[in-house]
């Protein structure tokens, strides 16, 4: 209530009015308190604490869980991992595929209340083109320019089909921010987290939490909700992401109701939480357990030796030993995830999960194997990596290969991975990608040092394809070559991320990587 009465009023009239005003004020405050208590709040425990929520300065998955609510991109991924428009309304390409014109959605608001225009997009995208490693490696110089307030052009030197996956990708993703925020960037990245997403940044308390608040002026897409794309109807007022690095503390917190959702549930706790009627568990494929083969030096630089190793591998036995529960893994011969529909392939499937001892021995003989041991490195910091190494060691013994199994802490393992003369097989994981050109196992600079002219040629032709159908046929050809001849590494099987929630959470969507969980569409029980 506004106190607009004139001071001329005599005291007899003024005192009652003041009492009425005070009463109205108290009632208003009480109403505000009631409204505040009715606001829905979500508490999430994350397994790691990012040092920044600037997408270009931190590739950690948990950083994306937070920043993906704040920032949006020109293109994004639908539930099947396909690139689709988000802040862009449409995209048109020139005949030579070098110039691409984005029509922007209009009246989209930043969290500071300003409208997003082409100047903001150009500043954000040129920053992305400069800092995103994949963009620089695969496309070189990429330039964005504003044509008018709602039109942006992108110019690339050579067309490649995977430019769209790169623009929509979730690693060092192309977040759109206000121009002034980009221009104020410091060495550590941007210091203000202002985007167009359904939630706005409130505060980050180091070693405690980050707080996001529903953005009431959020302008939704007209398209149906689909993965990271389409409508984002935020239903929760406040989200708190707590940093709880100890897995037992997270597990205890979900059981007591201290947290509504936790990520990275330890595999050994899955059955316990899954059997608790007061909890829900969610399993989503994250990536492949990988055996990386050293093709630069040592015994496995011979393709016949790699074929022999791959031939004796019983993938199912290894995945069962590493993950124990069928819900937590799958067997699939695709180097690309079967959930990425554009690239899902079973070409060369006959070379997957063979477990053929006699054929493997024959290949060893053809390779002229002399009985020297091979070295396998892994890390017990991830028990499933180590457990799979132990089973592999036993399988290789069956064909007469002795294995020196070396276990390192994770930091040391990553250092050893870069050395090309101390190991023959390295065991760890590989996250799912949206295009074959992004697969680490095919990178000459990545552990294993893949280097073959046929791979280079086919990858180049895939990227230069006129359409997805043509590219898919070339990928089938390349995957068959990988399995039957070159064997850069063995994708043993897909393994999962596990989330858990209390029964207060009525709906929580968790998609296979690289899409992952969505937070704006969570539904909570009425309280």
């Amino acid at each position: 209530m506004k106190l607009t009465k004139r001071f001329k009023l005599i005291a007899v009239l003024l005192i009652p009015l003041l009492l009425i005003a005070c009463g109205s004020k108290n009632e208003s405050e009480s109403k505000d308190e009631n409204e505040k208590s009715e606001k829905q709040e979500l508490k999430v425990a994350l397994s790691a604490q990012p040092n920044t929520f600037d997408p270009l300065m931190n590739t950690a998955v948990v950083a994306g869980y937070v920043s993906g609510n704040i920032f949006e991109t020109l293109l994004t991924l639908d539930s099947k991992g396909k690139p689709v428009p988000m802040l862009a309304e449409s995209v048109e390409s020139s005949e030579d595929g070098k110039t691409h014109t984005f029509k922007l959605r209009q009246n989209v608001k930043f969290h500071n209340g300003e409208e997003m225009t082409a100047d903001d997009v150009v500043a954000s995208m040129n920053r992305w083109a400069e800092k995103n490693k994949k963009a620089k490696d695969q496309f070189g110089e990429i330039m964005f320019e504003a044509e008018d307030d709602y039109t942006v052009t992108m110019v690339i030197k050579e067309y490649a089909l995977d430019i769209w996956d790169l623009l929509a990708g979730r690693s060092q993703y192309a977040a759109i921010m206000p121009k002034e925020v980009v221009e104020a960037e410091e060495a550590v990245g941007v210091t203000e987290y202002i985007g167009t997403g359904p939630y706005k940044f409130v505060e980050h308390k180091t070693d405690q939490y980050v707080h996001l608040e529903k953005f009431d002026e959020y302008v939704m897409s007209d398209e149906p909700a689909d993965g990271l794309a389409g409508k984002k109807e935020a239903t929760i007022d406040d989200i708190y992401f707590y940093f709880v690095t100890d897995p037992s503390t997270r597990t205890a917190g979900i059981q007591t109701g201290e947290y509504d959702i936790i990520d990275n549930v330890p595999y050994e706790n899955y059955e316990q939480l899954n059997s608790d009627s007061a909890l829900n568990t969610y399993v989503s494929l994250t990536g492949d357990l990988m055996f990386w083969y050293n093709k630069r030096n040592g015994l496995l630089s011979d393709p016949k030796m790699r074929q022999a190793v791959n031939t004796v591998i019983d993938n199912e036995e290894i995945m069962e030993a590493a993950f124990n529960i069928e819900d937590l893994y799958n067997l699939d011969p695709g180097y690309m995830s079967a959930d990425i529909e554009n690239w899902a392939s079973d070409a060369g499937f006959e070379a997957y999960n063979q477990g053929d001892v006699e054929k493997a021995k024959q290949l060893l003989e053809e390779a002229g194997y002399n009985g020297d041991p091979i070295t396998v490195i892994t890390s017990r910091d991830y028990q499933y990596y180590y457990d799979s190494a132990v089973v592999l060691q036993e399988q290789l013994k069956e064909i007469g290969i002795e294995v020196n199994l070396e276990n390192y802490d994770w930091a040391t393992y990553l250092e050893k991975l870069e050395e090309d003369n101390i190991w023959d097989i390295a065991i760890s994981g590989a996250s799912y990608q949206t295009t074959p050109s992004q697969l680490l196992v095919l990178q000459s600079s990545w552990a294993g040092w893949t280097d073959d002219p046929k791979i280079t040629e086919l990858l180049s032709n895939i990227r230069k394809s006129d359409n997805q159908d043509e590219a898919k046929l070339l990928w089938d050809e390349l995957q068959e070559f990988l399995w039957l001849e070159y064997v850069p590494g063995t994708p043993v099987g897909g393994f999962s991320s596990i989330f858990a929630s209390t029964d207060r959470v009525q709906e929580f969507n968790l998609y296979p990587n690289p899409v992952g969980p969505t937070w704006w569409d969570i539904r909570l029980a009425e309280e």
Side-chain angles (χ1 to χ4, degrees):
M1 176 179 180
K2 291 185 178 180
L3 299 179
T4 57
K5 298 293 182 182
R6 296 175 184 174
F7 287 107
K8 292 185 194 176
L9 292 175
I10 60 175
V12 174
L13 293 176
L14 183 59
I15 291 172
L17 284 171
L18 287 173
L19 290 174
I20 291 169
C22 289
S24 298
K25 182 179 179 182
N26 289 337
E27 288 172 7
S28 177
E29 287 178 347
S30 175
K31 182 180 179 181
D32 288 345
E33 287 298 317
N34 287 336
E35 288 178 351
K36 185 176 180 181
S37 66
E38 292 173 1
K39 291 175 70 176
Q40 284 199 317
E41 189 176 280
L42 181 74
K43 295 180 178 181
V44 182
L46 298 180
S47 55
Q49 176 173 212
N51 58 351
T52 177
F53 298 102
D54 180 347
L56 291 181
M57 306 302 286
N58 194 328
T59 59
V61 172
V62 291
Y65 291 164
V66 177
S67 66
N69 297 285
I70 303 169
F71 301 112
E72 294 181 311
T73 49
L74 289 177
L75 307 180
T76 193
L77 300 175
D78 67 13
S79 58
K80 301 299 183 182
K82 294 179 182 177
V84 293
M86 182 68 230
L87 291 175
E89 191 172 79
S90 64
V91 187
E92 292 185 3
S93 301
S94 62
E95 286 189 14
D96 64 5
K98 296 180 181 180
T99 301
H100 307 275
T101 303
F102 297 87
K103 289 292 184 182
L104 305 179
R105 288 169 50 208
Q106 298 186 25
N107 301 314
V108 173
K109 293 289 188 70
F110 282 115
H111 300 151
N112 60 7
E114 300 295 322
E115 184 186 7
M116 179 196 75
T117 67
D119 287 341
D120 302 303
V121 173
V122 167
S124 299
M125 295 308 300
N126 281 332
R127 176 176 182 254
W128 168 82
E130 173 61 28
K131 293 186 179 295
N132 183 287
K133 188 176 185 303
K134 287 181 180 178
K136 290 179 72 70
D137 289 349
Q138 296 181 21
F139 289 91
E141 186 179 12
I142 307 176
M143 288 300 299
F144 292 84
E145 292 183 356
E147 297 296 311
D148 58 42
D149 283 350
Y150 303 106
T151 307
V152 171
T153 59
M154 175 183 71
V155 179
I156 54 179
K157 289 185 176 180
E158 294 293 336
Y159 170 73
L161 188 68
D162 52 2
I163 184 66
W164 310 118
D165 294 85
L166 191 62
L167 286 168
R170 305 311 296 166
S171 178
Q172 284 192 296
Y173 66 86
I176 303 302
M177 310 173 186
K179 179 182 178 182
E180 60 269 24
V181 170
V182 174
E183 292 177 341
E185 176 187 16
E186 299 180 4
V188 294
V190 298
T191 54
E192 286 188 280
Y193 305 128
I194 299 175
T196 60
Y199 285 89
K200 60 184 180 180
F201 175 85
V202 178
E203 66 173 337
H204 173 206
K205 288 198 172 184
T206 304
D207 298 326
Q208 295 184 52
Y209 63 80
V210 60
H211 174 201
L212 306 184
E213 181 180 77
K214 181 179 176 180
F215 180 41
D216 290 331
E217 294 183 79
Y218 177 66
V219 180
M220 286 189 290
S221 165
D222 293 330
E223 297 298 317
D226 185 12
L228 300 176
K231 290 183 179 180
K232 299 178 182 177
E233 299 184 78
T235 59
I236 296 165
D237 299 289
D238 295 274
I239 303 178
Y240 290 86
F241 291 96
Y242 291 89
F243 310 120
V244 187
T245 56
D246 179 62
S248 60
T249 304
R250 288 197 308 280
T251 301
I254 197 70
Q255 291 174 308
T256 62
E258 181 179 1
Y259 307 117
D260 298 305
I261 298 175
I262 63 172
D263 80 330
N264 203 15
V265 172
Y267 290 112
E268 59 268 24
N269 294 127
Y270 171 71
E271 287 187 306
Q272 174 194 7
L273 298 186
N274 193 45
S275 63
D276 189 329
S277 60
L279 301 176
N280 303 303
T281 55
Y282 311 83
V283 175
S284 173
L285 288 172
T286 298
D288 278 322
L289 176 66
M290 282 293 304
F291 294 166
W292 314 93
Y293 300 145
N294 185 345
K295 299 172 289 295
R296 182 178 286 174
N297 290 308
L299 290 171
L300 269 65
S301 60
D302 180 350
K304 281 288 184 186
M305 285 293 297
R306 300 197 296 272
Q307 291 172 26
V309 170
N310 180 69
T311 297
V312 78
I313 290 173
D314 182 332
N315 300 57
E316 187 167 7
E317 182 182 35
I318 289 172
M319 296 301 288
E320 185 177 352
F323 301 101
N324 192 30
I325 303 165
E326 287 188 13
D327 291 355
L328 304 182
Y329 69 86
N330 80 339
L331 298 176
D332 178 18
Y335 273 74
M336 296 289 295
S337 168
D339 291 301
I340 306 298
E341 288 188 342
N342 282 346
W343 301 104
S345 174
D346 61 1
F349 74 94
E350 62 267 33
Y352 178 75
N353 193 28
Q354 296 178 76
D356 191 331
V357 172
E358 295 308 314
K359 182 180 176 182
K361 286 181 177 179
Q362 178 62 37
L363 288 167
L364 284 182
E365 186 176 333
E366 292 174 17
Y369 176 60
N370 63 6
D372 288 344
I374 67 172
T375 299
V376 175
I377 64 169
T378 190
S379 174
R380 205 163 193 163
D381 285 357
Y382 294 88
Q383 187 63 39
Y384 43 96
Y385 293 165
Y386 182 80
D387 290 344
S388 63
V390 171
V391 179
L392 175 63
Q393 182 181 38
E394 292 303 313
Q395 291 180 358
L396 291 177
K397 281 184 179 179
E398 289 189 62
I399 58 173
I401 297 179
E402 289 298 320
V403 172
N404 296 325
L405 180 56
E406 297 183 0
N407 168 52
Y408 299 100
D409 65 81
W410 187 242
T412 304
Y413 170 85
L414 292 176
E415 292 175 2
K416 299 292 185 184
L417 203 59
E418 299 296 323
E419 301 182 38
D420 63 7
N421 59 353
I422 66 167
W423 58 269
D424 298 290
I425 302 176
I427 298 178
S428 59
S431 60
Y432 289 135
Q433 304 295 331
T434 56
T435 62
S437 61
Q438 298 178 51
L439 290 171
L440 286 177
V441 73
L442 301 185
Q443 308 301 314
S444 60
S445 59
W446 177 252
W449 305 280
T450 295
D451 186 13
D452 184 87
K454 183 167 183 177
I455 293 175
T456 302
E457 180 185 4
L458 282 170
L459 278 178
S460 176
N461 291 339
I462 287 169
R463 299 186 68 216
K464 293 176 182 178
S465 296
D466 292 330
N467 56 68
Q468 182 61 41
D469 291 340
E470 178 185 317
K472 175 58 166 53
L473 290 174
L474 290 168
W475 168 238
D476 287 339
E477 181 183 349
L478 176 51
Q479 180 170 289
E480 185 170 59
F481 173 71
L482 297 177
W483 275 121
L484 301 183
E485 296 183 50
Y486 188 74
V487 197
T490 295
V492 186
F495 64 92
S496 300
S497 293
I498 310 171
F499 286 71
S501 76
T502 64
D503 56 9
R504 179 173 180 254
V505 177
Q506 298 294 294
E507 184 176 342
F508 175 47
N509 291 312
L510 179 61
Y511 300 97
N513 272 5
V515 178
T518 52
W519 305 95
W520 48 83
D521 51 3
I522 290 174
R523 299 291 190 273
L524 300 179
E526 295 293 331
E527 297 179 349

